[in-house]
Amino acid sequence: MPEAPLSDPAAATPVHPAMRIGHVHLKVADLDHALGFWRDVIGLEVQQRMGRQAVFLSAGGYHHHIALNTWESAGGAWPPPGTTGLYHVALLYPDRAALAVALRRVLAAGITLEGASDHGVSEAIYLRDPDGNGVELYRDRPQEDWPRDAAGNLMMVSRRLDLEALLRE
C-alpha cells in the first residue's frame, strides 16, 4: 500500500482520542508454560482455549487482552539480542495498590525483575515472560500530576522506583 502524501489531510489528523489498543497476540514456544505465567503469575483469566495451539486470556471477562499461540512458534527459541520485534507489552493497573499486588505475585513466583522505574507520569515494573517477551506492569498517575516544564510540555523522567514503598501499599 502506498504511503499517504504529506499533503493528505487525513495523514496529518491524529487518531481518535478514544482509540485503545485492544489485545496482543504473542508467539510462544510452549502453550502450557506460557499459560503458567500469564494466568498463574499475572492473574489473567482464560476465556477460550484452542487445544494446544492457542489460549485467549483477559481481565474482567473481556474476550481477550492477551492471546498466546504456537501457530508459528511451537518449540521455538527466544529471539536473539539485536533483532527486531516486540520490546514489551504493558499492562496498566488501575491504581498503586493493584500494582503492589501484581509485584507481590511476581516476586512470590520467583521471577527476576529487569527494572523498576518512576517515570513521573507512571510507575513501572519490568520483567520477561517465559518466551523472552518484555512485560511492563504499571500504573499511571493522574494527568494533573504529570511533570511539565514552564511551557506545559510533558517532561517524563526515569528514576528508581522504591519497591519497598510500593509493597507497603
Side-chain angles (χ1 to χ4, degrees):
M1 183 169 176
E3 286 187 35
L6 295 178
S7 61
D8 181 351
T13 304
V15 67
H16 190 284
M19 191 282 298
R20 299 288 182 259
I21 296 173
H23 59 269
V24 175
H25 275 247
L26 298 175
K27 297 189 285 187
V28 301
D30 181 292
L31 195 62
D32 290 327
H33 193 214
L35 185 58
F37 173 81
W38 290 101
R39 180 194 59 209
D40 302 339
V41 176
I42 299 301
L44 295 174
E45 299 170 305
V46 173
Q47 298 303 315
Q48 181 179 355
R49 185 166 180 149
M50 298 173 69
R52 301 202 46 76
Q53 293 187 326
V55 64
F56 299 85
L57 303 114
S58 76
Y62 186 66
H63 56 79
H64 69 290
H65 290 108
I66 301 285
L68 310 171
N69 72 66
T70 59
W71 299 324
E72 299 176 356
S73 54
W78 283 23
T83 59
T84 60
L86 177 72
Y87 185 73
H88 69 232
V89 59
L91 305 180
L92 175 60
Y93 289 81
D95 54 39
R96 198 162 201 262
L99 181 60
V101 169
L103 174 58
R104 282 188 197 97
R105 292 177 73 116
V106 167
L107 294 175
I111 295 172
T112 301
L113 298 182
E114 291 195 340
S117 298
D118 179 340
H119 295 297
V121 298
S122 64
E123 295 178 309
I125 300 160
Y126 301 95
L127 54 140
R128 296 229 168 250
D129 79 355
D131 292 283
N133 295 305
V135 178
E136 175 185 354
L137 309 177
Y138 78 107
R139 71 99 182 184
D140 276 337
R141 288 191 168 91
Q143 283 191 13
E144 60 270 15
D145 295 339
W146 290 1
R148 297 190 180 273
D149 66 14
N153 299 309
L154 191 60
M155 298 292 296
M156 293 194 303
V157 297
S158 284
R159 293 186 214 119
R160 186 186 67 79
L161 177 61
D162 184 344
L163 294 177
E164 292 302 319
L166 178 60
L167 288 171
R168 287 191 298 269
E169 282 291 314

